[in-house]
Amino acid sequence: MLMIRIDVAEGRTPAGLAALSRAIHVAAVQGYRIPEGDYFHVMTEHPCGQIVALDAGLGFGRSDAVVMIQAFTQRGRSGEAKAALFAAIARELRAVGVAGEDVFIGYSENGAEGWSFGFGRARYSTGELAVPGAGEAP
């Protein structure tokens, strides 16, 4: 289970926004073996100048086409799995025209108790939903 927030500057077409979302989802399905139907994305467009993404001292610049991604998921995946996901997202976004330097990803984890998928029920905690990857670390 991944919940993804995607922030971009205004100016992309609806098809372009859909392509960004789909590229990120494809990377997640392939990299983390989440079900195709576990597709939870929130996309927000911002007026020009409302996204600031400097180089953090890494020596490269970003364009106004930066894609800021926040991934929220359950803890338990290895550092290697996370790095592979980041690389897959960058690769899939490159295929839809996003330069590597314009891909910025933040990653946050919590436990099964931190999710409700409707009606205010913590279905992982109650056992109504199986905890993804329980017993295995993709």
Side-chain angles (χ1 to χ4, degrees), residues 54-103:
L54 301 179
D55 74 356
L58 296 172
F60 60 86
R62 292 186 174 91
S63 76
D64 291 336
V66 66
V67 177
M68 304 281 286
I69 301 162
Q70 297 175 20
F72 302 93
T73 190
Q74 291 183 31
R75 62 183 157 262
R77 293 183 174 97
S78 70
E80 293 82 13
K82 294 170 193 171
L85 176 67
F86 299 162
I89 288 171
R91 181 183 63 248
E92 294 295 328
L93 286 175
R94 185 172 38 253
V96 296
V98 179
E101 62 270 17
D102 285 335
V103 178

